[in-house]
């Protein structure tokens, strides 16, 4: 996977994770163009896009768009399921996740993503294991904050 | 105190929610970040947002700079900074604080610090170097969370050069008791493998252990590495097929813990990964494929549930089935599966169905037939993505019958799209189809008109080039005339309309065609009409300068009638004052040629249009001038490569202070002086630093009274000048002569100075091989200045030698001097090798009359009596090879061709007669190479009935790697129209044979020679080859093969003194350190033994061994006369060898180290 973007229906970026080294300028250009392209598509359209030289897989959940760029030979459907699994993870963690959860706790969303995808590859597909790892750190945080 | 209470209270809600909600510690919206976010959502305009964020960033900046800010506050600040960055505002001042937070914070602050770093920076950022120590410390921490964080950041981004620093610690983690750590460590190594494959080369055995890990997660992670490894080199991992099949069978059979299920499908990610690996393993390998048929079938059968994830597996399964060696039963099932995709009402599945079809129709176009209706529906689908994919599918199944329809559909799509990427791609495809399958001329021209108008100025430039060549080629028969006439007519009518919308490229094409072929319609219309149209075009505002110069060029060809001349004069007046020099020049040309009919007839002959241009690219007409100059003492020509190398070496070695610079009066001696003044060549060498002579000379000339004793000339008008390294070397030419007459193609007479006799010294060989290099790529000259590479099909007919095929023309007439150069090289080497050949009793090479005759011609013309003598000697030796001008050496086995054994007996030694038909290929080695070190013969491929077999052999020449491809024809019929293409983007391949090989007689072997050098150092490269040929009465056929070449084939010893080594060492900037294992033998010191092993395997030069240290040098071949040095410094450390590599090029140490490791592991 080359990168993952989360953005709202209004085109506001909510999360961005880049797995290929790109300059700040390129990142901005890509996300701007891509957000525009995807928002212009109708709901019944295909979830896959050949966009420039990239293959884009995207899916909308409520008001949020999840969008991944993958290599040409990658399996589009499994990428769609990666997005879905990530949403499931967020849902389980936040308890019926909504856009506001991700806006206010975006660093948590990043931590979950890092536990699920590492360097652009799915590292742990077991839902239980991902959440266990996050909870351990969270628990530590609470204990630590209590001590202070 | 109150502060603590407040914090405790704020933490409470999240603690309370711990039980109900998996510990989701919701941040209260009243926090600072919450306030910021709320503030932003309340704003209405972008401008207000900007103002607010600016204020926020100011306050963040202030806080991070304050020494009173605690790490805890810093963590909170960093989150806000991340937020601002996400909104698109720069917070680069906070990057360094993110690193600081990762360094100094407690566990959880660190976590945010690492997150911020991974979001702000990318792996090329220099800031990351500051993180290396922190990462190292955290990797060694006893706190699991810290280790996890460090591994996470390492597998996201880590500076490539710093990998050795942490590699051992990461490696250690592979045996960590916690599976989460092992898994992350495997993924970190995967990342290392991707960015620096050579550095993890030594831990491949540990990857195998990870593959066998008891935790399925770790095993899954290791498959990422294996997928990559197997993709790059499937041959080495065939032994894993069994294991992969077993794993897949277990997964499919539901043997994994339920945790790994996803929507009750067992470990889909793992399944897909395994299917992809199997595809690579089974590709073109029947044996391996047979092992996996069962499990593939089971996967297909099991994945029947109606859920996206099962479709994902099915799709991958189908792809694998169509990639591995085919099995009809499986193919049937896969085709059925594709049908389900295509017919699915779900649009995503439909898309994938089309994609799968596109993939499989390349094997069997009939597979598309059952889905005709669906495809047609998809063609008018409302989603462009579906349309686009359908067109892709149609493109693959286009043939002469359906081409008009498909092209029409593609053009329709093009008219609607505004995306440059699809335009470029589709326009290229339309042009390809039009050339291949055009049913008639009218259609072809109309289609190409659409291509040019739609492709506009974004399309690939070779489309107009190919089109123009196609028009220009072809014999002058009725059909070709019609095509051209039709093109002219259609362009005239286009120009009569509105031209403002036509792209510049199209206008250029139009101008050229009208200029060339307007005469075809001249009879029927008034003579000035085309001229007038062009003049109108010229004056239009939207016409670019480049197009204008094309138009002026066309007008020059057209101004034959009085009307046109008047028009031309008019145009000239306006443009001869143009500010653009090109336009001005073109206008001048037009002016002169339109007035001088005779001159025009000579420069642009009307009859000559159809003949191909013959260009003497070797500039043999200058031979006389050059040899005169040489005789007068001028320095021989050096190619730009060589000069550059000299410069590089000079720069690398020069530690002395620069000399004083020479006064301008001398350095500016112009080329005209050199041409007229007989002493000028000396003048040249004078300025190159031979100060003794130059002083005298300048005094004689009296042009300057400056004292020049001991003054080296260091700076010239082209910059820093090369200097002599030692007295033994030939003088370096000073500057490249700016005279256009002296092109880089140096005439062959330079290669053999009359005085130097026959000794093949290094200098001349390099020059000769640089001529060889030029021959491969520069010889074919065509109208559009581009050599033909890919075969084109449109209306291409076999043409005779006399027609315009660019390369044929060149090999026929204009390249006498080129073949002379070839012969010269072969000859000079023949001298060395004849003895070898005859000693071996295998006198196989002969020079036939034809070649020797030609060589004789040239040697005489070059005035070299020595060569002539040699030639006769070789001839008398009497073997039988055909060294043709095109460099192909055809060897005919004597047993087959000899009809009269009696006469042959006289000519040949007896053993040659008794040699069996399947000669060992060694006997076909060209004589000039037979004395050199070479590899074994590797079989490349053979066709089914083994009537054609290809083998390869590498010959290690001092300045190049020569790759020989042996084409053995074991059939009675000859092979015709042979073309051998070798491609590899990492290599520079130049064919010693410049033009097509043409043919191989029945039962004989031909050899093709290529010199190969590496463009950039890489560990191993894959060379793809394609031989196309035709049997009499047969269809054209092609044989494909691939060959891998490793870096070590391109390494040569670099002989330097210890002193030079020291100087070079200091000047090289790229280095790499690593410990290698020592080789121990009974008789030698470990160091000597190790270095000897390296020397033997990698052609290194051991410069010196002092005590426990040794220094070694080598160079990587890179173009004729060029090479990149790499130095190794080795020191024995306990039981390992610490190696330090340095080179001026970044990739070389890395790749060389890989081979050193490999060489030592093998010993």
């Amino acid at each position: 996977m080359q990168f993952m973007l989360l953005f709202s229906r209004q085109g506001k970026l909510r999360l961005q994770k880049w797995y290929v080294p790109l300059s700040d300028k390129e990142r901005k250009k890509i996300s701007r163009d891509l957000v525009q392209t995807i928002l212009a598509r109708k709901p019944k359209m295909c979830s896959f896009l050949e966009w420039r030289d990239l293959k884009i897989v995207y899916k909308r959940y409520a008001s949020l768009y999840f969008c991944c760029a993958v290599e040409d030979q990658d399996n589009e459907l499994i990428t769609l399921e990666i997005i879905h699994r990530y949403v499931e993870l967020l849902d389980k963690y936040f308890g019926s996740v909504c856009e506001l959860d991700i806006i206010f706790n975006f660093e948590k969303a990043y931590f979950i993503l890092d536990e699920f995808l590492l360097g652009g590859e799915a590292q742990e597909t077991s839902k239980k294991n991902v959440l266990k790892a996050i909870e351990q750190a969270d628990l530590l945080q609470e204990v630590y904050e209590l001590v202070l | 105190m109150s502060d603590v209470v407040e914090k405790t209270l704020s933490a409470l809600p999240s603690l309370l929610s711990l039980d109900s909600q998996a510990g989701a510690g919701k941040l209260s919206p009243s926090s600072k970040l919450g306030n910021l976010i709320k503030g932003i959502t309340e704003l209405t305009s972008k401008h207000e947002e900007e103002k607010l964020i600016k204020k926020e960033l100011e306050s963040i900046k202030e806080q991070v700079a304050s020494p009173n800010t605690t790490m805890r506050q810093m963590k909170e600040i960093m989150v806000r900074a991340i937020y601002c960055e996400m909104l698109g505002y720069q917070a680069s001042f906070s990057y360094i604080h993110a690193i600081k937070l990762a360094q100094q914070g407690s566990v959880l602050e660190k976590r945010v610090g690492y997150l911020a770093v991974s979001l702000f920076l990318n792996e090329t950022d220099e800031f990351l170097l500051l993180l290396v120590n922190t990462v190292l410390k955290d990797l060694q921490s006893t706190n699991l969370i810290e280790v996890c964080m460090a591994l996470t950041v390492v597998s996201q981004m880590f500076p490539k050069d710093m990998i050795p620093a942490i590699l051992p610690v990461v490696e250690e983690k592979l045996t960590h008791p916690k599976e989460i750590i092992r898994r992350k460590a495997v993924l970190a190594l995967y990342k290392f493998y991707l960015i620096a494959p050579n550095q993890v080369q030594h831990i491949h055995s540990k990857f195998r252990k990870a593959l066998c890990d008891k935790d399925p997660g770790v095993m899954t992670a290791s498959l990422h590495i294996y997928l990559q490894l197997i993709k790059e080199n499937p041959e080495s991992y065939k032994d894993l097929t069994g294991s992969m099949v077993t794993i897949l069978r277990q997964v499919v059979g539901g043997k994994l813990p339920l945790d790994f299920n996803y929507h009750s499908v067992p470990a889909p990610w793992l399944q897909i990964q395994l299917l992809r690996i199997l595809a690579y393993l089974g590709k073109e390998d029947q044996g391996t494929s047979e092992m996996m048929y069962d499990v593939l079938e089971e996967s297909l059968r099991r994945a029947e549930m109606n859920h996206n994830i099962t479709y994902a597996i099915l799709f991958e399964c189908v792809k694998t089935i169509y990639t591995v060696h085919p099995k009809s039963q499986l193919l049937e099932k896969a085709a059925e599966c594709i049908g389900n995709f295509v017919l699915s009402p779900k649009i995503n599945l439909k898309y994938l169905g089309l994609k799968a079809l596109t993939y499989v129709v390349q094997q069997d176009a009939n597979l598309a037939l059952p889905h005709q209706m669906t495809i047609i529906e998809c063609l008018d689908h409302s989603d462009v993505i579906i349309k686009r994919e359908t067109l892709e599918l149609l493109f693959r199944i286009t043939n002469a019958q359906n081409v008009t329809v498909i092209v029409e559909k593609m053009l329709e799509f093009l008219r609607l799209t505004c995306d440059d990427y699809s335009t470029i791609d589709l326009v290229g495809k339309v042009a390809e189809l039009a050339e291949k399958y055009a049913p008639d001329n009218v259609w072809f021209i109309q289609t190409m008109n659409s291509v040019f108008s739609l492709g506009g100025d974004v399309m690939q430039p070779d489309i107009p080039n190919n089109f123009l060549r196609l028009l220009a080629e072809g014999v002058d028969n009725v059909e070709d005339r019609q095509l051209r006439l039709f093109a002219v007519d259609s362009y005239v009518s286009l120009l009569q309309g509105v031209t403002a919308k036509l792209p510049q490229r199209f206008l250029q094409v139009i101008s050229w065609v009208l200029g060339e072929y307007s005469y075809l319609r001249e009879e029927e219309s008034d003579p000035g009409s085309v001229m007038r149209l062009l003049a109108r075009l010229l004056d239009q505002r939207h016409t670019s300068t480049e197009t204008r110069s094309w138009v002026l060029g066309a007008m020059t060809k057209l101004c034959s009638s009085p009307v046109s001349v008047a028009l031309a004069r008019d145009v000239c007046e306006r443009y001869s004052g143009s500010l653009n020099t090109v336009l001005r020049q073109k206008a001048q040309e037009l002016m002169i040629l339109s007035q001088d009919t005779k001159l025009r007839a000579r420069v642009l002959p009307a009859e000559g249009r159809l003949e191909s241009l013959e260009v003497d690219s070797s500039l043999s007409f200058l031979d006389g001038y050059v040899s005169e100059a040489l005789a007068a003492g001028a320095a021989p020509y050096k190619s730009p490569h060589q000069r550059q190398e000299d410069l590089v070496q000079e720069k690398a070695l020069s530690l002395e202070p620069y000399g004083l610079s020479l006064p301008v009066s001398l350095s500016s001696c112009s080329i005209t002086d050199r041409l007229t003044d007989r002493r000028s060549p000396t003048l040249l060498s004078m300025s190159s630093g031979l100060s003794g002579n130059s002083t005298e000379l300048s005094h004689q000339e009296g042009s300057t009274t400056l004292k020049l004793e001991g003054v080296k000339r260091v700076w010239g008008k082209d910059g820093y000048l090369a200097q002599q390294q030692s007295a033994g070397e030939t003088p370096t030419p000073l500057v490249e002569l700016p005279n256009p007459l002296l092109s880089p193609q140096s005439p062959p007479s330079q290669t053999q100075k009359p005085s130097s006799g026959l000794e093949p010294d290094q200098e001349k060989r390099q020059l000769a091989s640089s001529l060889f290099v030029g021959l491969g790529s520069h010889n074919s000259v065509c109208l559009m200045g581009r050599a033909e590479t890919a075969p084109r099909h449109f209306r291409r007919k076999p043409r005779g030698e006399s027609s315009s095929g660019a390369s044929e023309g060149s090999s026929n007439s204009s390249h006498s001097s080129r073949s002379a150069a070839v012969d010269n090289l072969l000859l000079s080497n023949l001298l060395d090798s004849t003895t070898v050949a005859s000693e071996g009793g295998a006198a196989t090479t002969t020079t036939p009359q034809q070649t020797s005759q030609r060589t004789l011609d040239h040697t005489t013309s070059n005035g070299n009596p020595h060569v002539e003598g040699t030639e006769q000697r070789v001839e008398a030796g009497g073997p039988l090879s055909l060294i043709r001008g095109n460099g192909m050496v055809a060897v005919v086995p004597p047993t087959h061709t000899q009809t009269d054994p009696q006469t042959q007996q006289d000519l040949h030694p007896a053993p040659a007669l008794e040699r069996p038909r399947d000669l060992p290929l060694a006997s076909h080695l060209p004589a000039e190479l037979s004395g050199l070190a070479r590899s074994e013969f590797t079989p490349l491929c053979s066709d089914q009935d083994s009537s054609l077999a290809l083998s390869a052999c590498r010959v290690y020449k001092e300045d190049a790697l020569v790759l020989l491809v042996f084409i053995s024809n074991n059939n009675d019929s000859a092979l015709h129209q042979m073309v051998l293409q070798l491609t590899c983007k990492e290599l520079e391949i130049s064919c010693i044979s410049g033009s097509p090989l043409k043919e191989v007689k029945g039962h004989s072997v031909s050899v093709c020679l290529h010199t190969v050098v590496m463009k950039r150092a890489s560990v191993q490269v894959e060379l793809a080859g394609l031989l196309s040929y035709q049997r009499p009465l047969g269809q054209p056929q092609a044989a494909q093969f691939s060959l891998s070449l490793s870096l070590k084939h391109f390494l040569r010893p670099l002989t330097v003194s210890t002193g030079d080594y020291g100087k070079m060492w200091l000047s090289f900037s790229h280095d790499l350190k690593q410990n290698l294992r020592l080789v121990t033998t009974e008789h030698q010191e470990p160091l000597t033994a190790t270095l000897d092993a390296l020397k033997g395997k990698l052609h290194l030069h051991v410069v010196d061994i002092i005590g426990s240290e040794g220094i070694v040098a080598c160079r990587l071949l890179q173009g004729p006369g060029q090479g990149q040095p790499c130095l190794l410094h080795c020191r024995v450390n306990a039981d390992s060898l610490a190696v330090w590599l340095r080179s001026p090029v970044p990739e070389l140490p890395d790749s060389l180290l890989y081979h050193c490791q490999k060489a030592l592991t093998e010993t």
Side-chain angles (χ1 to χ4, degrees), chain B residues 44 209 268 610 693 715 1087:
Chain B
T44 46
K209 242 167 116 189
L610 304 174
N693 287 339
W715 291 95
L1087 179 64

Side-chain angles (χ1 to χ4, degrees), chain A:
Chain A
M1 190 180 291
Q2 305 212 348
F3 58 82
M4 186 177 204
L5 300 176
L6 258 74
F7 53 89
S8 69
R9 223 168 35 178
Q10 289 78 35
K12 282 247 189 278
L13 212 53
R14 295 298 178 212
L15 215 68
Q16 52 171 342
K17 190 85 194 176
W18 301 84
Y19 297 109
V20 283
L22 288 171
S23 75
D24 199 42
K25 218 172 127 190
E26 288 167 307
R27 287 180 183 185
K28 274 185 186 146
K29 184 162 170 31
I30 289 176
S31 39
R32 201 175 48 232
D33 292 359
L34 200 52
V35 166
Q36 252 174 24
T37 315
I38 291 178
L39 287 178
R41 289 177 63 80
K42 296 193 183 73
K44 282 279 157 90
M45 283 185 169
C46 185
S47 300
F48 317 128
L49 264 185
E50 273 153 51
W51 183 77
R52 300 200 184 164
D53 48 349
L54 294 174
K55 171 159 288 164
I56 307 294
V57 178
Y58 73 92
K59 190 162 186 186
R60 185 178 153 181
Y61 288 87
S63 57
L64 265 188
Y65 283 88
F66 289 69
C67 153
C68 295
V70 292
E71 277 86 38
D72 195 49
Q73 71 275 15
D74 279 340
N75 190 316
E76 291 92 342
L77 282 176
I78 200 84
T79 313
L80 216 48
E81 295 314 302
I82 284 186
I83 295 178
H84 190 70
R85 167 67 18 133
Y86 182 47
V87 175
E88 283 179 359
L89 286 169
L90 291 172
D91 201 57
K92 185 104 183 179
Y93 180 82
F94 289 109
S96 166
V97 68
C98 67
E99 192 185 341
L100 280 182
D101 289 321
I102 295 173
I103 298 176
F104 283 105
N105 300 284
F106 65 87
E107 85 276 19
K108 289 268 160 50
Y110 275 122
F111 292 143
I112 296 172
L113 185 61
D114 280 349
E115 213 50 55
F116 174 45
L117 296 178
L118 193 53
E121 303 285 353
Q123 65 154 324
E124 179 56 80
T125 53
S126 150
K127 208 174 355 184
K128 200 176 82 191
N129 288 353
V130 174
L131 292 176
K132 207 166 78 191
I134 298 289
E135 277 160 28
Q136 272 172 352
D138 276 354
L139 205 62
L140 195 72
Q141 175 154 5
E142 268 125 31
V143 170
Y144 168 78
E145 280 175 356
L146 271 179
V147 169
L148 268 174

Side-chain angles (χ1 to χ4, degrees), chain B residues 696-710:
Chain B
E696 280 174 36
L697 238 178
S698 51
H699 281 308
Q700 280 172 15
E701 284 198 336
S703 61
T704 167
T705 51
L706 271 167
K707 297 211 163 97
L708 293 167
E709 274 114 338

Side-chain angles (χ1 to χ4, degrees), chain B residues 588-838:
Chain B
Q588 282 297 338
E589 284 170 12
L590 175 57
M591 171 108 83
I592 293 165
L593 292 179
S594 66
Q595 283 159 4
D596 189 340
T597 336
K598 271 189 194 156
L599 182 62
R600 193 176 153 273
R602 256 180 65 206
V603 179
L604 301 162
E607 298 305 314
R609 280 186 180 126
L610 304 174
E611 286 163 23
S612 69
L613 296 175
E614 284 175 5
V615 176
D616 183 358
S617 63
S618 67
L619 303 178
S620 57
F621 55 88
L622 281 174
D623 287 2
Y625 169 73
V626 173
S627 49
E628 225 172 85
L630 282 174
Y637 173 77
K638 275 193 178 184
S639 69
H641 295 297
Q642 271 177 300
R643 261 172 279 151
Q644 213 174 0
E645 195 204 23
D646 290 344
L647 274 175
V648 167
Q649 283 185 357
E650 190 52 39
K651 272 176 190 156
L653 288 171
S654 168
L655 295 168
E656 288 141 36
Y658 291 142
L660 293 169
S661 65
L662 213 67
V664 187
S665 62
L666 250 180
S667 56
S668 65
C669 71
S670 70
I671 187 66
T672 43
D673 290 337
R674 286 178 198 150
L675 288 173
T676 49
D677 191 343
R678 297 264 8 112
R679 270 175 302 188
S680 53
T682 342
L683 241 174
L684 265 178
S685 57
M686 166 200 75
S687 35
S688 73
L690 299 172
S691 48
N693 287 339
S694 59
T695 328
E696 280 174 36
L697 238 178
S698 51
H699 281 308
Q700 280 172 15
E701 284 198 336
S703 61
T704 167
T705 51
L706 271 167
K707 297 211 163 97
L708 293 167
E709 274 114 338
V711 178
K712 277 190 185 174
R713 180 158 179 233
V714 201
W715 291 95
K717 74 195 254 271
D718 282 9
Y720 185 64
L721 297 173
Q723 295 175 5
Q724 271 63 46
Q725 283 175 29
S726 64
E729 280 193 30
T730 32
T732 323
L734 228 200
V735 281
E736 185 176 358
L737 299 182
N739 190 328
L741 289 173
L742 291 172
S743 91
Q745 294 282 352
S746 115
S749 59
Q750 276 195 337
T751 62
Q752 19 170 282
K753 271 189 280 179
S755 55
S756 61
L758 258 180
E759 265 157 309
D761 69 10
Q762 190 71 7
E763 200 73 31
K764 281 196 281 176
R765 275 178 177 230
Q766 283 179 345
L767 199 57
S769 58
S770 74
L771 273 170
F772 270 95
V773 170
L775 290 177
S777 50
H778 302 303
N779 59 352
S780 19
V781 177
C782 60
L783 280 169
M784 294 307 295
R786 184 179 158 274
E788 180 174 316
T789 46
R792 296 280 153 187
H793 306 268
F794 179 61
R795 304 177 327 115
R796 174 133 316 185
K797 306 165 200 79
R799 267 181 257 108
E801 288 272 284
S802 58
S803 75
S804 64
S807 46
E808 289 160 45
S810 55
S811 65
N812 273 347
S813 48
S814 66
H815 279 76
S816 55
S817 46
R818 183 175 66 120
S819 46
V822 175
D823 291 344
N824 283 340
L825 188 97
L826 292 178
L827 263 182
S828 59
N829 289 314
L830 273 175
L831 243 196
D832 308 335
S833 51
T834 5
T835 35
V836 181
S838 50

